[in-house]
Amino acid sequence: MNAPTQPAHVTPQYPQREAPAALIEALSQRFGTQLSTAMAVRELHGRDESAFTTVPPPSAVVFAESTNDVQDAVKLCAEHKFPVIPYGVGSSLEGHLLAVQGGISLDLTRMNKVLSVNAEDLTVTVQPGVTRKQLNDDIKSTSLFFPIDPGADASIGGMTATRASGTNAVRYGTMRENVLALEVVTASGEVIRTGTRARKSSAGYDLTRLFVGSEGTLGVVTEITLRIYPLPEAVSAAICSFPSIAEAVNTVISTIQIGVPIARVELIDANSVRAVNRHSKLTLREEPMLLMEFHGSPASVKEQAEMVQEIARDNGGADFEWADTPEDRTRLWTARHNAYFAAVQSRPGCRCITTDTCVPISRLADALLDSVREADESGIPYFLVGHVGDGNFHMGYLIDPDDDAERARAEQLNHQVVTRALQLGGTCTGEHGVGLHKMDFLVEEAGGGAINMMRTIKRALDPDNIMNPGKVFS
């Protein structure tokens, strides 16, 4: 694999498109106080959790409150051939939200209604600004839940756009498997619907899957119909510490290969545990750790847990701690979800360069152990977390943003991690998406023919290149 054409997190250089005064005036007349050109608001919508720092903010922000608002905003931008960048809660990690060619940020957070719950069919339809926690709060009285949990309280629209997954993916799949239908505003301002509430269809092209994971480059998602699931009768969570990452990973591989239907299995390295202890005031053993969860009947949960405990013991696992009450489980998973922020706070003033990959489960140890060895040798503080039950893991390198040498070393580490994953039959990103950071890697993974086909689709659906331009491929 060739080295990227430029270091990641050096923002790709595109001509900046200036917002026509006529467009800003038209948006002002249509949206009134729903339009903001205040610098503070624009700057908020011009950054995410990525390490990119030099992109100018969008020219204005439109706060959409309905599909009609989205449609009108897109139509006005289309008339002036000016970019539109959908915005959820700003938690993306790969520069998805940045106005690299200028643009109007289309904030969808006010479109936050759960539109319908069809408990008998195990489906729910929501607007894009609904967050995953809000959705589960709204449907908990039905004894159903939405399992996709990427960690951050992301919006369902953003999760759809990036084809998110998370801690439950090993059992419940990703957004790809759990989005049944969409309403989308296209680049011309037309409203289309894809899919139905039926569990399967052989009717025509699968447009739903085309938009899931398209990162806002083909249209703006305004409604999402999702699969939901019965709350399990019994839930049990456990943590187990290991002498090394190798033993922890071997436990996971054995668990998956013998078919234990584990619901969640997260790997947290010693660096992450140390940071989490300080951040969340816990006393976890500061060694590589697996955090696991089992769903099912009381008897099946007990059987699953005993099987995994035996596998872990054979691999040197120790200090099993069980969390059977909702409060104890919440405490453990909250600590896991805070691992990113705990790590960042462990080095004040740092920026975090993150990467994630996904490999076949049989190659997980190869991918992880070499990545950890390289990170240790670099001298750069780092942390590792992973949804390892499906072969997905995340590396975060904590750099001094003013130290060019550190940034370069971190980018080289990122390059080595992704290169290794591709060589092992994996993907350059299992969860974060491509955004700006992994465009070169996508070419390596998919090949020139597939990239040209993607470009053909992009040109056909967005001939003026106004839908979040400069992302996924240049």
Side-chain angles (χ1 to χ4, degrees), residues 452-467:
N452 286 337
M453 184 171 289
M454 293 181 199
R455 287 198 175 102
T456 298
I457 293 169
K458 168 72 169 173
R459 284 193 294 265
L461 300 185
D462 182 17
D464 293 318
N465 194 26
I466 67 166
M467 303 306 302

Side-chain angles (χ1 to χ4, degrees), residues 132-356:
R132 66 173 184 87
K133 289 182 181 179
Q134 177 195 343
L135 174 56
N136 279 322
D137 285 343
D138 281 6
I139 65 176
K140 65 182 178 183
S141 62
T142 66
S143 296
L144 301 170
F145 81 119
F146 179 63
I148 309 304
D149 176 7
D153 191 19
S155 68
I156 300 298
M159 292 167 64
T160 300
T162 56
R163 201 187 297 126
S165 57
T167 60
N168 279 313
V170 64
R171 178 158 183 163
Y172 297 99
T174 72
M175 291 299 283
R176 180 182 64 187
E177 291 79 30
N178 287 286
V179 175
L180 293 171
L182 297 171
E183 179 186 82
V184 179
V185 175
T186 70
S188 66
E190 179 184 5
V191 178
I192 66 168
R193 291 184 176 274
T194 75
T196 70
R197 289 197 298 112
R199 285 302 178 104
K200 62 181 181 179
S201 172
S202 297
Y205 295 165
D206 192 345
L207 296 180
T208 302
R209 298 298 173 274
L210 178 63
F211 285 102
V212 173
S214 62
E215 303 185 14
T217 62
L218 300 179
V220 183
V221 173
T222 51
E223 285 185 17
I224 307 107
T225 298
L226 302 164
R227 297 174 186 257
I228 49 179
Y229 296 79
L231 284 167
E233 183 182 358
V235 178
S236 182
I239 60 173
C240 182
S241 297
F242 293 83
S244 73
I245 287 176
E247 283 89 353
V249 171
N250 288 333
T251 298
V252 173
I253 292 173
S254 297
T255 298
I256 300 303
Q257 288 180 339
I258 68 172
V260 177
I262 194 167
R264 289 170 156 177
V265 55
E266 292 285 297
L267 171 65
I268 310 174
D269 77 332
N271 296 331
S272 300
V273 176
R274 195 173 300 113
V276 162
N277 275 344
R278 288 198 294 270
H279 181 270
S280 300
K281 296 180 174 59
L282 300 178
T283 56
L284 300 171
R285 188 167 174 170
E286 293 183 354
E287 293 180 346
M289 184 178 75
L290 291 181
L291 173 54
M292 298 164 280
E293 194 167 279
F294 308 91
H295 295 178
S297 67
S300 68
V301 163
K302 182 175 183 293
E303 181 182 15
Q304 293 168 38
E306 289 174 349
M307 291 175 66
V308 174
Q309 187 168 6
E310 183 177 344
I311 295 170
R313 190 178 296 115
D314 290 342
N315 284 289
D319 285 356
F320 255 86
E321 178 185 334
W322 295 97
D324 294 315
T325 68
E327 294 78 15
D328 286 343
R329 291 197 302 274
T330 297
R331 174 178 62 88
L332 290 178
W333 284 108
T334 297
R336 158 60 185 92
H337 289 332
N338 287 338
Y340 172 85
F341 300 105
V344 170
Q345 289 178 10
S346 72
R347 187 179 188 187
C350 76
R351 298 285 297 188
C352 183
I353 292 182
T354 60
T355 192
D356 86 306

Side-chain angles (χ1 to χ4, degrees), residues 12 24 26 44 96 111 114 120 248 280-281 296 307 315 334-335 338 341 343 346 351 375 385 406 417 422 431 470:
I24 301 300
L44 175 66
H96 297 93
M111 295 179 65
V114 176
E120 300 87 349
S280 300
K281 296 180 174 59
M307 291 175 66
N315 284 289
T334 297
N338 287 338
F341 300 105
S346 72
R351 298 285 297 188
V385 295
E406 265 196 10
V417 169
L422 296 179
E431 187 167 271

